[in-house]
Amino acid sequence: MSDKAVYAAGALVWRVVEGKLRILVIHRTKYADVTLPKGKVDPGETLPETAVREIFEETGIQVNLGVPVGVSHYRLPSRKQKIVHYWAAHATEGAVRRSAFVPNKEVAGLEWVSPTRALKYLSYPVDIEIVENFLRLESDGVLETFPIIVLRHAKALSRSEWTDADAARPLTDRGTKQAQKISGTLASFGVRRVVSSTAVRCVTTVVPLATSLGRDIVRTDDLSQDAFEAGTADVRAVVGKRVRSRKAAVLCSHRPVIPTIMRELALATGTIEGQYLADAATLEPSGFSVVHLSATHPGAGIVTIETYDARD
């Protein structure tokens, strides 16, 4: 991210009420406008973390991020450029009921409106573009989605520095820090299942995430490098199970295995392979790709892929 720009993140928060789609807009006190919830990135945050935090702070609603729905650019009075990243985010009925929102000096009120109303009601053209992007996805039948996150383990000791079995090779200090730093970003996508190669370096990478979520780590040799190189890893079975479950999951594995995971995701969802899959599989230690799939029609193909670089 450039120091010359101001970065922010938010979401188009949606729900279905009595069979009708509704979009959340906020009325801001200071600006007397109607807009989508968003806010500036805090030091050390990633954009997905910012989006989830800002939605909660402005509305009291805890959300998980779905597919990205656009980026807005505009000039501030200071002449700096502001860049805002948006995701779709489904607000469950439970999350709405748990909201403790009260009008305050920043947000005067919340309102759930129809898409048609939102397009006429929002104060800024950049917000209208985000709604239009979201509605194109909705018209394509991909309103509800879930992610499968393909994660390369964090930085491990090199083979030359390790004399024991390769599967026991641990993370470096840098790798341990990377594992901590990626945990919040991974959690932003509503992870429900944490699946890892049995190798120590993979399991250790997802420990902070599993701990924060209160989830067990599912360890499998089918994602391990040793089994993959021996020709005994059943990557297809792991991927197929996760696609059928239609629940957000992280698959932590190794550089040689990840291209096969991506190909199996394409195969399981009827997606045409291309360079984009190879790009999404080219990950540095602790890097990951978020593969968004339709929850209602996962066999209709990959909706989109986001790739996140390693965090140091």
Side-chain angles (χ1 to χ4, degrees):
M1 293 190 291
S2 170
D3 292 336
K4 296 181 180 179
V6 175
Y7 286 86
L12 187 151
V13 183
W14 64 273
R15 62 196 282 222
V16 175
V17 180
E18 297 180 349
K20 296 180 180 179
L21 179 63
R22 293 292 181 261
I23 292 169
L24 181 64
V25 298
I26 65 172
H27 295 255
R28 293 195 298 181
T29 307
K30 179 179 178 180
Y31 301 101
D33 60 8
V34 180
T35 186
L36 300 175
K38 63 181 179 299
K40 290 190 291 186
V41 175
D42 279 349
E45 275 187 332
T46 61
L47 290 162
E49 290 175 297
T50 298
V52 172
R53 175 184 57 76
E54 284 288 343
I55 300 307
F56 184 73
E57 289 180 0
E58 292 192 340
T59 71
I61 300 172
Q62 188 71 53
V63 298
N64 300 316
L65 301 182
V67 295
V69 288
V71 182
S72 67
H73 302 75
Y74 54 93
R75 290 287 175 185
L76 297 169
S78 66
R79 303 307 300 159
K80 281 189 174 182
Q81 185 179 45
K82 188 168 185 179
I83 302 173
V84 189
H85 291 249
Y86 289 94
W87 287 261
H90 177 213
T92 65
E93 292 309 304
V96 173
R97 286 194 299 270
R98 288 189 294 272
S99 171
F101 171 81
V102 292
N104 55 74
K105 63 181 182 180
E106 291 188 6
V107 181
L110 311 178
E111 191 173 1
W112 292 96
V113 300
S114 70
T116 301
R117 171 70 166 155
L119 291 171
K120 297 176 181 178
Y121 202 23
L122 288 163
S123 300
Y124 306 106
V126 289
D127 286 351
I128 292 170
E129 287 180 16
I130 298 302
V131 174
E132 289 173 339
N133 291 343
F134 171 75
L135 292 177
R136 278 193 286 272
L137 286 171
E138 190 266 340
S139 68
D140 288 339
V142 290
L143 185 61
E144 295 183 61
T145 62
F146 70 99
I148 294 180
I149 303 173
V150 183
L151 167 66
R152 183 178 172 185
H153 65 76
K155 183 66 176 177
L157 286 178
S158 66
R159 294 193 181 196
S160 63
E161 297 176 283
W162 186 249
T163 58
D164 205 341
D166 185 64
R169 189 152 46 96
L171 298 182
T172 62
D173 289 344
R174 175 187 171 196
T176 300
K177 292 176 182 176
Q178 288 176 330
Q180 292 286 347
K181 288 180 177 180
I182 63 175
S183 174
T185 308
L186 294 169
S188 300
F189 293 97
V191 172
R192 300 278 301 280
R193 200 72 162 171
V194 182
V195 185
S196 173
S197 158
T198 49
V200 168
R201 57 192 182 275
C202 283
V203 174
T204 310
T205 296
V206 293
V207 162
L209 172 65
T211 300
S212 70
L213 298 175
R215 301 274 175 178
D216 293 330
I217 300 171
V218 179
R219 298 166 171 83
T220 175
D221 283 329
D222 288 327
L223 294 181
S224 78
Q225 186 170 341
D226 286 348
F228 181 78
E229 292 177 346
T232 59
D234 192 350
V235 177
R236 178 168 298 176
V238 175
V239 170
K241 184 176 182 179
R242 299 277 46 94
V243 172
R244 290 192 299 273
S245 77
R246 307 186 191 201
K247 294 179 180 177
V250 166
L251 307 182
C252 185
S253 191
H254 310 260
R255 180 182 57 80
V257 188
I258 287 173
T260 297
I261 295 174
M262 299 302 298
R263 285 195 295 272
E264 291 297 339
L265 277 169
L267 181 65
T269 57
T271 305
I272 297 174
E273 292 188 43
Q275 184 59 43
Y276 73 98
L277 276 180
D279 293 341
T282 305
L283 301 171
E284 295 298 317
S286 80
F288 57 91
S289 287
V290 184
V291 182
H292 294 276
L293 306 175
S294 168
T296 50
H297 304 289
I302 292 170
V303 178
T304 190
I305 302 177
E306 304 174 71
T307 298
Y308 290 82
D309 294 333
R311 292 201 67 194
D312 290 311

